[in-house]
Amino acid sequence: MKETIKIPFGVYYQEQFSKPMRRKQDVVSFILGVVNVLLVGESGSDSSGILYLKRNKMNRVFCFMEGKYFSTVFPFDVEFDENGNFYKVYDSISDIRINNRSVALLERMLEKIDFEESSIDEIIEDAYLDIAEDGYTDKDIDRCFGLILRLLSMELGYIRYDYDPERENGRLHPLYHVDINYSTKGTYKLGMNKKMETAEFIDMLDTKTDCRYVQ
């Protein structure tokens, strides 16, 4: 098994991955974007960032762009053929192979979900009405909706490193800092005295290496 998969991505995904993450839906949307990058393959000369998929005990995806790194759990399995070439992405719990068509369905469902305004029954009914005419079977819809609900109930372990000269404000908002959690009500910062390198960010989260200490 490849423990590290390295995939560059272009300007389109840079714009997608640069959007603020304030809700769990935003983090799940990023994960689905990572699946699309895996399915499309490596970017060419317009490479604007890079993904590292670490598949050992932690199973995380790392996204690196200029001045911004972040990471979250990657809940899917990735398989390669006997020649080491990418083969498929799948969810082992629901036994769903994740392809472009299922990603499109998952993204549409994710956009429809609003737990504050609708009940589960209303969300499911809206999903069927919106999607049923597009050639998806009842089984497709049921399995993908179940997968979306599971992703939204998971601990996704979101963490972000920022270099933020525009909003730097002494020790209140340090130039270099790590933001932990995504919501404005639950997030907190850890300031740093110097720039963090990509390898340091990975090592900080790697459960197979020595721990780092705050003090």
Side-chain angles (χ1 to χ4, degrees):
M1 179 184 79
K2 286 186 178 181
E3 284 202 356
T4 303
I5 305 169
K6 180 179 176 182
I7 317 142
F9 57 85
V11 174
Y12 172 80
Y13 285 105
Q14 180 190 24
E15 293 176 356
Q16 298 299 307
F17 297 161
S18 295
K19 294 177 181 178
M21 295 191 191
R22 296 289 182 261
R23 309 173 304 156
K24 184 168 280 190
Q25 284 96 321
D26 300 327
V27 184
V28 173
S29 180
F30 163 69
I31 291 169
L32 296 177
V34 172
V35 175
N36 271 330
V37 174
L38 278 166
L39 295 173
V40 169
E42 296 186 1
S43 173
S45 58
D46 69 335
S47 180
S48 299
I50 193 162
L51 297 170
Y52 282 84
L53 188 56
K54 299 287 290 185
R55 304 185 311 141
N56 47 33
K57 185 178 178 181
M58 60 178 176
N59 209 34
R60 274 184 169 270
V61 59
F62 295 80
C63 181
F64 296 108
M65 295 179 285
E66 184 65 33
K68 179 178 180 178
Y69 318 150
F70 61 92
S71 175
T72 185
V73 168
F74 189 73
F76 302 127
D77 296 293
V78 180
E79 282 192 2
F80 294 81
D81 62 23
E82 62 273 10
N83 298 316
N85 299 314
F86 169 72
Y87 177 55
K88 68 177 180 178
V89 181
Y90 68 99
D91 178 55
S92 58
I93 295 177
S94 58
D95 195 29
I96 298 175
R97 180 166 180 170
I98 313 295
N99 54 29
N100 297 106
R101 185 169 167 78
S102 55
V103 168
L105 178 54
L106 291 165
E107 288 177 334
R108 286 175 64 180
M109 288 180 167
L110 190 63
E111 291 175 1
K112 293 283 184 182
I113 288 177
D114 185 345
F115 292 114
E116 293 183 0
E117 298 294 332
S118 305
S119 68
I120 290 290
D121 288 341
E122 289 171 331
I123 291 169
I124 293 173
E125 183 179 357
D126 287 345
Y128 273 93
L129 291 174
D130 179 56
I131 294 163
E133 294 183 358
D134 292 340
Y136 293 102
T137 66
D138 287 353
K139 185 177 180 181
D140 291 333
I141 298 171
D142 285 342
R143 292 169 77 185
C144 285
F145 195 81
L147 176 54
I148 280 291
L149 291 182
R150 183 162 59 80
L151 292 174
L152 290 172
S153 68
M154 288 177 61
E155 170 53 65
L156 296 175
Y158 176 76
I159 182 171
R160 180 179 76 249
Y161 162 78
D162 267 341
Y163 166 73
D164 196 354
E166 293 183 5
R167 292 184 291 174
E168 181 186 6
N169 184 13
R171 296 175 69 87
L172 184 65
H173 195 106
L175 178 63
Y176 307 105
H177 63 270
V178 171
D179 286 309
I180 301 171
N181 300 328
Y182 50 83
S183 72
T184 54
K185 293 182 179 179
T187 189
Y188 57 95
K189 298 182 187 300
L190 292 177
M192 303 182 139
N193 293 319
K194 64 181 182 67
K195 177 182 178 181
M196 177 178 277
E197 302 297 333
T198 57
E200 293 179 287
F201 187 66
I202 293 174
D203 181 72
M204 179 177 70
L205 300 175
D206 193 339
T207 55
K208 296 175 70 176
T209 63
D210 289 345
C211 285
R212 291 172 174 262
Y213 288 79
V214 176
Q215 295 181 336

